[in-house]
Amino acid sequence: GPARGGVTKPDLVAPGADVLSAMPGGRYTALNGTSMATPHVAGVVALMWSANPALVGDLDRTRQILRETAAPAEPSYASPEDRCGTDANILGAGLVDAFAAVQAARG
């Protein structure tokens, strides 16, 4: 972020460093990046929708719950040049919190 129109992006963050991932041939390795973080968020959404089927397809409410239940997080910068405006442009609402998101989806 910031995105077009000044909107803060990302919406939130998820674990994406040194995530154990399955590899061809029955092996496992630790990988990094959005390809590792995205499945965390997709899994939380699946849990939320399982807990409250009325949310299925309601992307606005799902996003709202994810943002509202995100846990505070500390940004890390490889170098000062990585800083892009405020910390929200690095962290969004914070770190995805599966337990809090499912509890809010139920409520």
Side-chain angles (χ1 to χ4, degrees):
R4 203 173 277 197
V7 178
T8 300
K9 291 294 177 181
D11 293 308
L12 54 91
V13 295
D18 296 322
V19 176
L20 191 62
S21 181
M23 298 296 287
R27 297 179 304 113
Y28 294 89
T29 192
L31 297 173
N32 302 307
T34 55
S35 294
M36 298 293 99
T38 301
H40 280 89
V41 178
V44 172
V45 171
L47 291 169
M48 291 168 61
W49 288 3
S50 292
N52 183 355
L55 282 175
V56 174
D58 188 345
L59 301 183
D60 290 336
R61 181 69 182 127
T62 299
R63 282 187 193 106
Q64 180 182 4
I65 291 170
L66 287 168
R67 286 187 201 112
E68 289 175 354
T69 59
E74 289 293 321
S76 61
Y77 303 101
S79 68
E81 293 81 33
D82 289 342
R83 189 173 194 93
C84 179
T86 69
D87 288 346
N89 291 325
I90 301 294
L91 300 170
L95 182 65
V96 67
D97 184 331
F99 183 79
V102 170
Q103 290 296 97
R106 285 184 178 155

